[in-house]
Amino acid sequence: MPARTSWIPYALIAPSVIFLGALFLVPLVQTIWLSFSAGDGFSLENYQRMAGDLNFSLAVRNTFLLTLVVVPLQVVLALAMATMVTKLDRGRDLALWVLTIPLGISDLAAGLAWLALLQNTGYLNSALYALGLIQGPVGWLSQETPWALFFAIVLAELWRATAIVLVILIAGLQLIPKEFSEAAEIFGAKPWTRFMRITLPLLKPSLQSALILRTVLAFEVFAVVYALGGRNFPVLAGEAYVWQNDNQNYGVAAAYAVLIMAISLAATAVYLRVLRTRPEQLP
Amino acid sequence: MTIQAAELPQTTKSRNMALPSARRLLLWTGLAVLLAWVLVPIYFVALGAFGGRLGVFRWPKTIWPTDLSLAAMTQFLAIEGVFNALVNSLIAAGLTVLFSVLLGAPAGYALARYSFRGQNAYRLLVLLTRAFPLAILALPLTVSFIRLGLYDTPFGVSLIHTVLALPFAALVTQSLFMGIPREYEEAAWVFGCTRFQAFMKVVLPLALPGLAATAIFAFVISWNEVFAASILTVRERTLTAYLLRILAESPLHYRFAGGFILIIPSVLFIFAVRRYLFAVWGIASK
Amino acid sequence: MADIVIDRVVKEFGTFRALQGVSLTVNDGEFVALLGPSGCGKTTLLRIIAGLETQTSGRVVIGGQDVSNLAPRKRGLAMVFQNYAVFPHMTVFENVAFGLRMQKAQQEEVKRKVERAAALLHIESYLDRYPAKLSGGQRQRVAVARALAVEPAVLLMDEPLSNLDALLRLEMRTELKAVLREAGTTTIYVTHDQTEAMGLADRIAVMYGGKIDQIGSPLEIYATPATRFVGGFIGSPPMNFIKVRCSQGMARIGDATLPCPATGKDMELGLRGEDASLAPNGSGIPFDIRVVEPMGSHLLLTGSIDGQPARIVAPPIAKVNAGERVGLTVDPARVTWIDSITGRAIARA
């Protein structure tokens, strides 16, 4: 029944197009415009204010540091998890479910969970005390121990956000026919070689998707940091929140937003280039 | 020269097994560690929520539940604003489900069944929303929402959450509908159905499980979202926005109670639809 | 019951012409098979008749009514799909009743017709079951029952047996023939299997490259193919085509000669393996045997005539061996002469 009814697909996507147009494209343009305006007319004042703020360089440094540490760790961890899970036969579904539980957990809740572990009277300290390693509660999350705080945030993010990389990688692994590994094995390749030379290259498209998604999300990190460190560990999204809600300065907040967007786009472009796969190289 | 069976090397037998047993042990141990790593923090949140007021401040902590009480939970829920926040979260999440399915499923159907000019552009638009820090778009929307009277309402929050959930809904329903053979619809057309009737009688019943899973995931996305909800609400906060606000001020066990309420519905929901979500991400179940 | 007229139907997909102006008339109550290899356009044609595809130009007329622009549900047809398309979320009863329900038939009537169709297809015992619990063959019957239950003017079938295993296919074919004979419905049946077409159809339309090469009864198509393609597609083993030169009304192959209808042209002799018999004294058309396969009911001899590959059927007890040269006698009335250039058959001299 095609030709006569060729208006149907357009009618079906129209509502979502209108919706996304109004609530995504328009605000996107507005944010950019807002960041470049102060008083009346074009001005770079917001950006100047943003850059001149005490917390700005800290926020930039922290966000990048966090992303650069957390994302590679997550990829390695997710690869390890994925390889292990695919080797299971019984209990595979259960293991997979448990490992993907963090997907359903809000970043705020994740922050709270790790707070329980790491706060002064928390479980980590209790365990260390019980083992006799410390005399009394140690503050891991205080302002005096910025590296401990950083480490705590890394842990919490690792815990929370590896699942999404895991899911994408497992789906990608399943697309690789077993026969490739088996053929390599017959020709004498050891497990590590098989992994590096066959599995990993064939996993490139999934790695690309996972990295793009995860990195973009990493630059937006907010609630976990806020839960564990309050304002002791400034990050870009956190600063945007503060400028908007506490300082009521929409312009600077918008400048932060545009900065985050620009960084995300740049990162995406890098991934698309570096992890490019030619279609003829895929199974 | 024939080789006697007894002379055949024993190693051929062990090489035929998938993994030698030392490796197997390593695998199971590694997995056990990972599983514990995921579950332990959640366990502690639960302990914190149900461990009674003293339990939270006890030093040193024990890992076994002591002073189990619902007191913290009930007190938390009784705090002014908490129950309201819960209700707001539910409303926002419910509306998000409604909108993202109503907008996303038709789009998914269009992508699955038709090839039309601009379909790649549409798919790109949908994917693009994922490449941007979405929640940040809440900033300019604050102004628009104030003007439209949508500021500080669960409805306004649900609109932003729908932007988050819509791409997921569209792309997932696309593969959902592609999994239902076109022949079923064609048979329905031949035997007397209009396109709409065929969709309602044949496609929808078969798509229902997948649509339910999509709906649940949209719910979880909204329920968990923190940034936009915090920016767009002042008095009618959602649970996440509320918890964020009181993070600095409230007693610890209330925070844990709140965290627990945040975690449990999502975890349960994801458990309920896990098979479906895995299938949709492309992970085959054994 | 109705007749079907397909009038110069053309179908283009972009620049690709799937159907090149096909015309066909199916008489009321007739069973016509559309037979051809994949890609020949037979399924496209069927789907255009059903209304599932729209023709680029041309008309489809059913029972005197031009249905070319009507939606499928308004054409008075029923269809059996290749993968059965039996709805998994409905019981067998509801599946068979589907068309009737869409016609808003009363429950009484629905029950009666469903049970009748079920009886015809021997599926009464699983009316309450869901399709997932049925085998492929059983689901197939459900699909046919669903089509017959609405007592359609026209029945369309798209390779309904191709997903069944060989034995089941044979059983279903004979059952189908009996059932449809009783119902007397005008039927168009698409298949790539020539034995199916030969066994089931009143007339066969052999299609190739978007055109109908020949329409005729099974016997006509078998005995007097109109083109090289038809000759080679029908019959097992496939018809042999031996290139010969025809001069002065005679074609010479080895020491043997055959009267041929045209002179000086490049021609091919179309000879069926079963139409040649072993000459008692080694005279006749020379045939060098390469392989002898005992098939039980006959011997399949593969070899060459005049250096060109050929397959001959011999009686099961014939005393022949690989490597031998034997002579073949051929009845000139049973061979087909093909013009090498056009591929069309030439009338016999």
Side-chain angles (χ1 to χ4, degrees), chain B residues 45-86:
Chain B
V45 169
L47 264 192
F50 293 108
R53 191 132 62 94
L54 291 178
V56 170
F57 292 107
R58 174 191 293 273
W59 166 262
K61 291 224 174 11
T62 61
I63 58 173
W64 307 117
T66 51
D67 318 316
L68 268 184
S69 83
L70 285 176
M73 201 51 113
T74 46
Q75 280 171 0
F76 176 72
L77 287 172
I79 296 178
E80 184 184 331
V82 169
F83 191 72
N84 201 33
L86 247 183

Short mmCIF file of all heavy atoms in Angstrom, two decimals, chain B residues 45-86:
data_model
loop_
_atom_site.label_atom_id
_atom_site.label_comp_id
_atom_site.label_asym_id
_atom_site.label_seq_id
_atom_site.Cartn_x
_atom_site.Cartn_y
_atom_site.Cartn_z
N VAL B 45 23.74 1.43 51.89
CA VAL B 45 22.69 2.45 51.88
C VAL B 45 21.46 1.92 52.59
O VAL B 45 20.82 2.61 53.40
CB VAL B 45 22.32 2.88 50.45
CG1 VAL B 45 21.07 3.74 50.45
CG2 VAL B 45 23.46 3.64 49.82
N ALA B 46 21.14 0.67 52.29
CA ALA B 46 19.98 0.06 52.94
C ALA B 46 20.19 0.02 54.44
O ALA B 46 19.30 0.35 55.22
CB ALA B 46 19.75 -1.34 52.39
N LEU B 47 21.39 -0.38 54.85
CA LEU B 47 21.71 -0.39 56.27
C LEU B 47 21.54 0.99 56.87
O LEU B 47 20.97 1.17 57.95
CB LEU B 47 23.15 -0.82 56.48
CG LEU B 47 23.42 -2.29 56.79
CD1 LEU B 47 24.85 -2.48 57.25
CD2 LEU B 47 22.46 -2.78 57.86
N GLY B 48 22.04 1.97 56.15
CA GLY B 48 21.95 3.33 56.66
C GLY B 48 20.51 3.77 56.78
O GLY B 48 20.14 4.48 57.70
N ALA B 49 19.69 3.33 55.85
CA ALA B 49 18.30 3.76 55.88
C ALA B 49 17.50 3.07 56.97
O ALA B 49 16.60 3.65 57.55
CB ALA B 49 17.65 3.49 54.52
N PHE B 50 17.85 1.81 57.22
CA PHE B 50 17.05 1.06 58.18
C PHE B 50 17.76 0.81 59.49
O PHE B 50 17.30 0.03 60.31
CB PHE B 50 16.63 -0.28 57.57
CG PHE B 50 15.68 -0.10 56.43
CD1 PHE B 50 16.09 -0.33 55.13
CD2 PHE B 50 14.39 0.34 56.66
CE1 PHE B 50 15.22 -0.14 54.08
CE2 PHE B 50 13.52 0.54 55.61
CZ PHE B 50 13.94 0.30 54.32
N GLY B 51 18.90 1.44 59.67
CA GLY B 51 19.69 1.10 60.85
C GLY B 51 19.37 1.94 62.06
O GLY B 51 20.09 1.91 63.04
N GLY B 52 18.33 2.72 61.97
CA GLY B 52 18.00 3.51 63.16
C GLY B 52 18.96 4.68 63.32
O GLY B 52 20.05 4.70 62.75
N ARG B 53 18.56 5.62 64.10
CA ARG B 53 19.34 6.86 64.24
C ARG B 53 20.72 6.59 64.80
O ARG B 53 21.70 7.17 64.38
CB ARG B 53 18.58 7.83 65.16
CG ARG B 53 19.20 9.20 65.13
CD ARG B 53 18.14 10.24 64.94
NE ARG B 53 17.21 10.20 66.06
CZ ARG B 53 17.33 10.97 67.14
NH1 ARG B 53 18.30 11.82 67.24
NH2 ARG B 53 16.46 10.86 68.10
N LEU B 54 20.75 5.69 65.75
CA LEU B 54 22.04 5.44 66.37
C LEU B 54 22.98 4.72 65.40
O LEU B 54 24.17 4.96 65.39
CB LEU B 54 21.85 4.58 67.63
CG LEU B 54 21.15 5.32 68.75
CD1 LEU B 54 20.93 4.41 69.94
CD2 LEU B 54 21.97 6.54 69.16
N GLY B 55 22.36 3.84 64.63
CA GLY B 55 23.18 3.04 63.74
C GLY B 55 24.06 3.88 62.82
O GLY B 55 25.21 3.56 62.55
N VAL B 56 23.49 5.02 62.40
CA VAL B 56 24.23 5.84 61.44
C VAL B 56 25.45 6.46 62.08
O VAL B 56 26.49 6.63 61.46
CB VAL B 56 23.30 6.93 60.89
CG1 VAL B 56 24.08 7.94 60.10
CG2 VAL B 56 22.23 6.30 60.02
N PHE B 57 25.31 6.79 63.32
CA PHE B 57 26.43 7.49 63.96
C PHE B 57 27.32 6.58 64.76
O PHE B 57 28.29 7.00 65.34
CB PHE B 57 25.89 8.60 64.87
CG PHE B 57 25.25 9.69 64.07
CD1 PHE B 57 23.88 9.83 64.05
CD2 PHE B 57 26.02 10.54 63.30
CE1 PHE B 57 23.29 10.83 63.30
CE2 PHE B 57 25.44 11.54 62.55
CZ PHE B 57 24.06 11.69 62.55
N ARG B 58 26.96 5.32 64.79
CA ARG B 58 27.75 4.39 65.57
C ARG B 58 29.17 4.36 65.05
O ARG B 58 29.43 4.40 63.86
CB ARG B 58 27.11 3.00 65.44
CG ARG B 58 27.89 1.89 66.08
CD ARG B 58 27.28 0.58 65.62
NE ARG B 58 25.94 0.43 66.15
CZ ARG B 58 25.69 -0.11 67.34
NH1 ARG B 58 26.67 -0.54 68.09
NH2 ARG B 58 24.45 -0.21 67.78
N TRP B 59 30.09 4.28 66.02
CA TRP B 59 31.46 4.11 65.57
C TRP B 59 32.09 3.03 66.39
O TRP B 59 32.01 3.09 67.60
CB TRP B 59 32.26 5.41 65.72
CG TRP B 59 33.73 5.16 65.59
CD1 TRP B 59 34.62 4.99 66.63
CD2 TRP B 59 34.44 4.94 64.39
NE1 TRP B 59 35.86 4.70 66.15
CE2 TRP B 59 35.79 4.66 64.77
CE3 TRP B 59 34.10 4.95 63.05
CZ2 TRP B 59 36.77 4.42 63.83
CZ3 TRP B 59 35.10 4.71 62.14
CH2 TRP B 59 36.42 4.45 62.53
N PRO B 60 32.82 2.09 65.91
CA PRO B 60 32.91 1.84 64.47
C PRO B 60 31.67 1.09 63.98
O PRO B 60 30.98 0.45 64.75
CB PRO B 60 34.14 0.96 64.36
CG PRO B 60 34.26 0.28 65.68
CD PRO B 60 33.64 1.17 66.70
N LYS B 61 31.44 1.13 62.71
CA LYS B 61 30.25 0.49 62.16
C LYS B 61 30.46 -1.00 62.05
O LYS B 61 31.57 -1.48 61.83
CB LYS B 61 29.96 1.04 60.77
CG LYS B 61 29.51 2.48 60.77
CD LYS B 61 28.34 2.62 59.84
CE LYS B 61 27.70 3.97 59.84
NZ LYS B 61 28.35 5.04 60.52
N THR B 62 29.38 -1.71 62.20
CA THR B 62 29.45 -3.13 61.90
C THR B 62 28.72 -3.36 60.58
O THR B 62 27.84 -2.60 60.22
CB THR B 62 28.74 -3.96 62.98
OG1 THR B 62 27.37 -3.56 62.99
CG2 THR B 62 29.35 -3.74 64.32
N ILE B 63 29.12 -4.45 59.95
CA ILE B 63 28.45 -4.69 58.67
C ILE B 63 27.18 -5.48 58.85
O ILE B 63 26.43 -5.71 57.92
CB ILE B 63 29.36 -5.42 57.67
CG1 ILE B 63 29.83 -6.74 58.27
CG2 ILE B 63 30.53 -4.56 57.28
CD1 ILE B 63 30.59 -7.58 57.28
N TRP B 64 26.93 -5.88 60.05
CA TRP B 64 25.70 -6.64 60.24
C TRP B 64 24.60 -5.69 60.66
O TRP B 64 24.84 -4.73 61.37
CB TRP B 64 25.88 -7.73 61.30
CG TRP B 64 27.04 -8.58 60.98
CD1 TRP B 64 28.17 -8.73 61.71
CD2 TRP B 64 27.22 -9.35 59.80
NE1 TRP B 64 29.03 -9.57 61.08
CE2 TRP B 64 28.50 -9.96 59.90
CE3 TRP B 64 26.44 -9.59 58.66
CZ2 TRP B 64 28.99 -10.80 58.93
CZ3 TRP B 64 26.94 -10.43 57.69
CH2 TRP B 64 28.20 -11.03 57.82
N PRO B 65 23.38 -5.96 60.25
CA PRO B 65 22.29 -5.08 60.62
C PRO B 65 22.03 -5.13 62.12
O PRO B 65 21.88 -6.20 62.69
CB PRO B 65 21.07 -5.65 59.88
CG PRO B 65 21.58 -6.71 58.99
CD PRO B 65 22.94 -7.08 59.42
N THR B 66 22.07 -3.98 62.72
CA THR B 66 21.69 -3.90 64.14
C THR B 66 20.69 -2.78 64.27
O THR B 66 20.65 -1.89 63.43
CB THR B 66 22.89 -3.54 65.03
OG1 THR B 66 23.51 -2.38 64.46
CG2 THR B 66 23.90 -4.68 65.08
N ASP B 67 19.96 -2.78 65.31
CA ASP B 67 18.94 -1.75 65.52
C ASP B 67 18.11 -1.54 64.28
O ASP B 67 17.87 -0.41 63.87
CB ASP B 67 19.56 -0.39 65.88
CG ASP B 67 20.72 -0.52 66.84
OD1 ASP B 67 20.56 -1.29 67.80
OD2 ASP B 67 21.73 0.13 66.61
N LEU B 68 17.69 -2.60 63.70
CA LEU B 68 16.85 -2.43 62.53
C LEU B 68 15.58 -1.71 62.92
O LEU B 68 14.89 -2.10 63.84
CB LEU B 68 16.47 -3.78 61.94
CG LEU B 68 17.39 -4.33 60.86
CD1 LEU B 68 16.82 -5.62 60.32
CD2 LEU B 68 17.55 -3.33 59.74
N SER B 69 15.30 -0.65 62.21
CA SER B 69 14.02 -0.01 62.51
C SER B 69 13.55 0.75 61.30
O SER B 69 14.34 1.23 60.49
CB SER B 69 14.16 0.93 63.70
OG SER B 69 14.67 2.17 63.25
N LEU B 70 12.29 0.85 61.21
CA LEU B 70 11.70 1.63 60.12
C LEU B 70 11.60 3.09 60.50
O LEU B 70 11.10 3.91 59.74
CB LEU B 70 10.32 1.09 59.78
CG LEU B 70 10.30 -0.22 59.00
CD1 LEU B 70 8.86 -0.69 58.82
CD2 LEU B 70 10.94 -0.01 57.64
N ALA B 71 12.08 3.39 61.71
CA ALA B 71 11.86 4.74 62.23
C ALA B 71 12.42 5.80 61.30
O ALA B 71 11.75 6.76 60.94
CB ALA B 71 12.49 4.86 63.61
N ALA B 72 13.68 5.58 60.89
CA ALA B 72 14.30 6.59 60.04
C ALA B 72 13.49 6.81 58.78
O ALA B 72 13.24 7.93 58.36
CB ALA B 72 15.72 6.17 59.68
N MET B 73 13.05 5.71 58.22
CA MET B 73 12.31 5.78 56.98
C MET B 73 11.01 6.55 57.17
O MET B 73 10.69 7.46 56.42
CB MET B 73 12.02 4.36 56.48
CG MET B 73 11.73 4.26 55.02
SD MET B 73 12.92 5.06 53.96
CE MET B 73 13.62 3.68 53.14
N THR B 74 10.28 6.17 58.17
CA THR B 74 8.98 6.81 58.37
C THR B 74 9.15 8.28 58.75
O THR B 74 8.40 9.13 58.29
CB THR B 74 8.14 6.09 59.45
OG1 THR B 74 8.99 5.83 60.56
CG2 THR B 74 7.58 4.79 58.92
N GLN B 75 10.15 8.54 59.56
CA GLN B 75 10.37 9.94 59.92
C GLN B 75 10.73 10.76 58.70
O GLN B 75 10.28 11.88 58.51
CB GLN B 75 11.50 10.06 60.94
CG GLN B 75 11.05 9.75 62.35
CD GLN B 75 12.22 9.66 63.29
OE1 GLN B 75 13.37 9.83 62.88
NE2 GLN B 75 11.93 9.40 64.55
N PHE B 76 11.56 10.14 57.87
CA PHE B 76 11.96 10.85 56.66
C PHE B 76 10.74 11.18 55.81
O PHE B 76 10.59 12.29 55.31
CB PHE B 76 12.96 9.99 55.90
CG PHE B 76 13.36 10.57 54.59
CD1 PHE B 76 14.18 11.67 54.52
CD2 PHE B 76 12.91 10.00 53.40
CE1 PHE B 76 14.56 12.21 53.30
CE2 PHE B 76 13.29 10.54 52.18
CZ PHE B 76 14.11 11.64 52.13
N LEU B 77 9.91 10.16 55.65
CA LEU B 77 8.75 10.38 54.81
C LEU B 77 7.81 11.41 55.40
O LEU B 77 7.03 12.04 54.70
CB LEU B 77 8.00 9.05 54.59
CG LEU B 77 8.71 8.08 53.65
CD1 LEU B 77 8.00 6.74 53.66
CD2 LEU B 77 8.75 8.64 52.25
N ALA B 78 7.89 11.56 56.72
CA ALA B 78 6.96 12.47 57.37
C ALA B 78 7.43 13.92 57.31
O ALA B 78 6.67 14.85 57.54
CB ALA B 78 6.75 12.06 58.83
N ILE B 79 8.70 14.08 56.99
CA ILE B 79 9.22 15.45 56.93
C ILE B 79 8.43 16.23 55.92
O ILE B 79 8.11 15.76 54.84
CB ILE B 79 10.70 15.47 56.50
CG1 ILE B 79 11.55 14.77 57.54
CG2 ILE B 79 11.19 16.90 56.32
CD1 ILE B 79 12.98 14.72 57.13
N GLU B 80 8.19 17.44 56.28
CA GLU B 80 7.45 18.26 55.34
C GLU B 80 8.23 18.42 54.05
O GLU B 80 9.41 18.72 54.05
CB GLU B 80 7.23 19.65 55.95
CG GLU B 80 6.37 20.50 55.03
CD GLU B 80 6.24 21.90 55.57
OE1 GLU B 80 6.31 22.04 56.80
OE2 GLU B 80 6.09 22.83 54.76
N GLY B 81 7.53 18.20 53.00
CA GLY B 81 8.20 18.36 51.71
C GLY B 81 8.67 17.07 51.11
O GLY B 81 8.80 16.97 49.90
N VAL B 82 8.91 16.06 51.95
CA VAL B 82 9.45 14.83 51.39
C VAL B 82 8.38 14.09 50.60
O VAL B 82 8.59 13.70 49.44
CB VAL B 82 10.00 13.90 52.49
CG1 VAL B 82 10.28 12.53 51.90
CG2 VAL B 82 11.26 14.49 53.07
N PHE B 83 7.24 13.91 51.27
CA PHE B 83 6.20 13.18 50.57
C PHE B 83 5.78 13.90 49.31
O PHE B 83 5.56 13.29 48.25
CB PHE B 83 4.98 13.00 51.51
CG PHE B 83 3.99 12.05 50.96
CD1 PHE B 83 4.24 10.69 50.91
CD2 PHE B 83 2.78 12.51 50.43
CE1 PHE B 83 3.33 9.81 50.38
CE2 PHE B 83 1.86 11.63 49.90
CZ PHE B 83 2.13 10.28 49.87
N ASN B 84 5.72 15.21 49.42
CA ASN B 84 5.39 16.03 48.26
C ASN B 84 6.41 15.81 47.13
O ASN B 84 6.04 15.69 45.96
CB ASN B 84 5.39 17.50 48.68
CG ASN B 84 4.60 18.33 47.72
OD1 ASN B 84 3.61 17.86 47.16
ND2 ASN B 84 5.04 19.55 47.49
N ALA B 85 7.68 15.75 47.54
CA ALA B 85 8.73 15.56 46.53
C ALA B 85 8.56 14.21 45.85
O ALA B 85 8.72 14.07 44.63
CB ALA B 85 10.11 15.65 47.19
N LEU B 86 8.21 13.20 46.66
CA LEU B 86 7.97 11.87 46.10
C LEU B 86 6.88 11.92 45.05
O LEU B 86 7.02 11.40 43.94
CB LEU B 86 7.50 10.94 47.23
CG LEU B 86 8.44 9.80 47.63
CD1 LEU B 86 7.76 8.96 48.68
CD2 LEU B 86 8.77 8.95 46.43
#
